[in-house]
């Protein structure tokens, strides 16, 4: 009997060792740490606004700048896909097809080739809009967007065209909305200050709940037609502190259960991801992460290893997830956050883009460098002749930089710039049009 127990124990040890080796290999880690998420290098120090994984390996990140980040190897490396405008929210239909909402105006762009090229969507502008707040594609064809001025836009052709309609608020026009999520073409959820709306399509409100009069809901998910979640903070008198809250309904919004978390220090939750009715993760201010394995009946804390704002989370299955946030933070888990391996990836390239494109009188070159270096940027014409020295051997700190370039008195057509440091050389194109 003792020999049998010893045999079983040995098998368990070998299995555990093999599992850990797999985790280490998949995460490509260089240091173990009793945390639960692997920190990855995004190449930017700004606020990453949204993340979307439709499969375990392929994911997209909205950076708030003129490019998205995309991975095809489960986040072990990310590459830049230039975009025609700043990206504030993104939703993917499959590994090749995606739609993003621009930060300014009511512009959408879509791709069917993995982000190599983006096409400007046609948008009905019946109602005045200032910007897009939230984007949701519950199927390959149907998509919805929540915009300012209490407007919902809908697409039935994978984001190529959009129609707009205003929500019939019935006296709630003082409410500020923040987020929206649809589970199918007829059932959606909108949340904001003190308000949760259950939508039937676009303008029709099926149900309205205003019982959380002090709450601010920043994100939501309609998991099924009957199971819905909203997350945010619950403001106590004096506005300090702001405890993080999760509210859940399992009967289509007829009744709600509120869970208050970390009332003494938290600023609230900002993102939520349920892969099904059982497994869910919420993230928020101060680097907080909470997880449920029983459909929201109970929640337990996971350590992120960071104290910055975590903006969004996306799980492709019950154990594989990605979180993005302030400071260019990307956190990754392949086991639901249970085996904690911290990852430090070297950033070995410079991300650079110019905007607007095309430009007439001026353009900005925006770039991120991984360490303090001397930077030279030179502008060339098509023949390779230097037409302008923009900066010459300028010592710059690590992080993001933006350099304005005056294009006046330069010929129309294509120009090229070269950014050089001690370690890197990157070339980009500028198209100048006559003013």
């Amino acid at each position: 009997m003792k020999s049998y127990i010893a045999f079983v124990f040995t098998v368990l040890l070998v299995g555990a060792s093999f599992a850990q080796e797999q985790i280490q290999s998949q995460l490509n880690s260089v240091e173990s740490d009793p945390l639960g998420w692997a920190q990855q290098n995004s190449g930017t120090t700004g606020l990453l606004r949204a993340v979307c994984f439709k499969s375990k390996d392929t994911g997209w990140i909205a950076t708030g700048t003129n490019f998205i980040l995309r991975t095809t190897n489960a986040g072990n490396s990310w590459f830049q896909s230039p975009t025609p405008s700043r990206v504030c929210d993104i939703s993917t239909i499959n590994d090749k097809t995606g739609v993003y909402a621009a930060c300014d105006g009511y512009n959408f762009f879509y791709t069917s080739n993995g982000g190599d090229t983006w096409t400007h969507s046609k948008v009905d502008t019946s109602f005045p809009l200032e910007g897009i707040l939230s984007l949701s594609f519950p199927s390959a064809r149907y998509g919805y967007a929540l915009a300012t001025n209490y407007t919902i836009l809908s697409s039935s052709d994978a984001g190529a065209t959009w129609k707009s309609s205003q929500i019939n608020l019935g006296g709630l026009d003082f409410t500020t909305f923040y987020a929206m999520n649809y589970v199918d073409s007829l059932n959606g959820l909108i949340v904001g200050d003190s308000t949760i709306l259950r939508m039937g399509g676009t303008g029709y409100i099926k149900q309205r709940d205003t019982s959380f009069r002090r709450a601010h809901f920043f994100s939501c998910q309609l998991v099924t037609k009957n199971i819905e979640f909203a997350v945010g903070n619950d403001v106590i008198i004096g506005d300090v502190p702001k405890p993080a809250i999760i509210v859940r309904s399992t009967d289509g919004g007829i009744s709600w259960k509120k869970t208050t978390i970390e009332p003494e220090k938290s600023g609230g939750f900002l993102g939520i991801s349920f892969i099904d009715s059982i497994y869910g993760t919420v993230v928020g201010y101060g680097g907080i992460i909470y997880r449920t394995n029983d459909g929201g009946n109970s929640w337990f804390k996971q350590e992120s290893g960071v104290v910055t704002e975590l903006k969004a989370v996306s799980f492709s299955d019950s154990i594989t997830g990605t979180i993005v946030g302030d400071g260019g933070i990307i956190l990754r888990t392949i086991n639901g956050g249970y085996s904690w391996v911290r990852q430090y990836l070297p950033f070995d390239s410079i991300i650079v883009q110019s905007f607007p494109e095309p430009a007439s009188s001026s353009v900005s070159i925006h770039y991120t460098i991984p360490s303090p270096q001397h930077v030279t940027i030179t502008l060339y014409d098509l023949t390779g002749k230097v037409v302008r020295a923009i900066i010459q051997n300028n010592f710059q700190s690590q992080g993001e930089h933006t350099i304005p370039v005056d294009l006046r008195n330069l010929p129309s057509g294509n120009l090229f710039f070269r950014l050089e440091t001690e370690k890197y050389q990157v070339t980009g194109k500028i198209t100048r049009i006559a003013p």
Side-chain angles (χ1 to χ4, degrees):
M1 184 65 178
K2 290 182 178 180
S3 62
Y4 173 74
I5 294 174
F7 170 75
V8 172
F9 184 67
T10 301
V11 169
L12 290 175
L13 284 177
V14 171
S17 176
F18 177 71
Q20 182 63 23
E21 288 177 4
Q22 282 191 316
I23 293 169
Q24 294 278 41
S25 175
Q26 291 183 53
L27 288 178
N28 200 20
S29 66
V30 296
E31 181 179 341
S32 294
D33 192 281
L35 301 172
W37 290 82
Q39 183 171 338
Q40 300 178 326
N41 200 318
S42 65
T44 178
T45 57
L47 172 62
L48 301 182
R49 296 170 177 266
V51 58
C52 189
F53 274 78
K54 286 296 184 182
S55 66
K56 183 171 67 173
D57 293 328
T58 302
W60 314 55
I61 293 176
T63 64
T65 61
N66 286 66
F67 64 89
I68 66 163
L69 293 175
R70 186 168 181 265
T71 182
T72 57
N73 59 8
N76 287 319
S77 61
W78 295 86
F79 65 88
Q80 170 192 354
S81 175
T83 56
S85 62
R86 295 190 299 125
V87 185
C88 273
D89 200 1
I90 191 162
S91 184
T92 57
I93 296 169
N94 53 48
D95 288 351
K96 291 290 185 180
T97 306
V99 178
Y100 83 79
C103 293
D104 304 313
Y106 44 85
N107 294 307
F108 300 89
F109 294 83
Y110 64 96
T111 182
S112 58
N113 55 18
D116 292 339
T117 59
W118 294 90
T119 302
H120 196 182
S121 305
K122 295 180 180 179
V123 182
D124 163 31
T125 58
S126 300
F127 304 99
L129 306 173
E130 295 178 359
I132 308 300
L133 302 173
S134 186
L135 189 63
S136 177
F137 268 80
S139 70
R141 289 180 54 196
Y142 292 99
Y144 295 88
L146 175 65
T148 56
N149 198 30
Y150 313 111
T151 300
I152 289 225
L153 297 101
S154 62
S155 173
S156 59
D157 53 10
T161 61
W162 295 84
K163 295 180 180 180
S164 61
S165 61
Q166 280 195 308
I167 305 171
N168 183 10
L169 293 172
L172 277 178
D173 53 357
F174 57 87
T175 300
T176 300
F177 293 128
Y178 299 108
M180 169 209 61
N181 179 257
Y182 274 72
V183 70
D184 56 38
S185 61
L186 295 177
N187 290 278
L189 193 65
I190 296 177
V191 297
D193 289 341
S194 308
T195 304
I196 300 174
L197 300 181
R198 180 66 181 271
M199 304 298 298
T202 53
Y204 170 58
I205 299 176
K206 296 175 64 175
Q207 195 166 355
R208 178 177 64 205
D209 193 296
T210 58
S211 59
F212 305 102
R213 296 191 179 278
R214 298 178 302 174
H216 304 286
F217 296 113
F218 301 122
S219 189
C220 63
Q221 185 170 350
L222 192 56
V223 183
T224 69
K225 291 182 180 180
N226 292 320
I227 300 175
E228 47 198 305
F229 288 84
V231 298
N233 63 44
D234 200 3
V235 181
I236 297 178
I237 295 176
D239 286 355
V240 178
K242 294 183 177 180
I245 60 171
I246 304 168
V247 300
R248 176 188 64 154
S249 175
T250 57
D251 53 16
I254 297 174
S255 61
W256 294 87
K257 172 189 175 183
K258 183 173 75 170
T259 301
T260 302
I261 295 176
E262 296 192 3
E264 73 282 1
K265 59 182 179 180
S266 175
F269 291 117
L270 298 171
I272 181 171
S273 178
F274 270 80
I275 193 63
D276 54 28
S277 60
I278 303 298
Y279 299 100
T281 298
V282 292
V283 302
Y285 291 105
I288 58 173
I289 304 173
Y290 275 79
R291 168 90 168 180
T292 181
N293 292 336
D294 57 11
N297 289 313
S298 61
W299 295 85
F300 57 91
K301 187 177 182 179
Q302 296 183 332
E303 296 297 331
S304 67
V306 300
V307 294
T308 55
E309 172 185 331
L310 299 181
K311 177 67 174 178
V313 54
S314 177
F315 271 76
S316 58
D317 54 48
S318 62
I319 61 173
T320 309
T322 302
I323 295 171
V324 299
D326 199 9
I329 289 293
I330 302 177
L331 302 177
R332 179 81 167 160
T333 183
I334 60 171
N335 51 22
Y338 287 103
S339 293
W340 305 116
V341 180
R342 189 164 187 170
Q343 180 183 29
Y344 298 88
L345 292 180
F347 178 54
D348 56 4
S349 63
I350 290 180
I351 293 178
V352 60
Q353 70 272 347
S354 62
F355 58 92
E357 176 64 26
S360 57
S361 59
S362 65
V363 72
S364 293
I365 298 176
H366 183 84
Y367 54 95
T368 303
I369 56 177
S371 60
Q373 297 178 57
H374 289 86
V375 177
T376 296
I377 303 178
T378 310
L379 195 62
Y380 300 85
D381 63 16
L382 282 173
T383 67
K385 178 184 176 181
V386 176
V387 296
R388 184 158 299 165
I390 301 172
I391 57 174
Q392 184 68 35
N393 203 32
N394 189 349
F395 185 77
Q396 296 184 342
S397 61
Q398 173 186 351
E400 297 185 70
H401 299 268
T402 300
I403 302 296
V405 180
D406 187 358
L407 299 180
R408 291 174 295 181
N409 301 322
L410 294 179
S412 300
N414 289 330
L415 300 168
F416 297 89
F417 65 88
R418 179 179 297 160
L419 186 152
E420 299 173 272
T421 73
E422 295 95 326
K423 299 180 180 180
Y424 309 103
Q425 186 177 102
V426 183
T427 300
K429 184 183 76 170
I430 296 172
T431 303
R432 184 178 187 265
I433 56 177

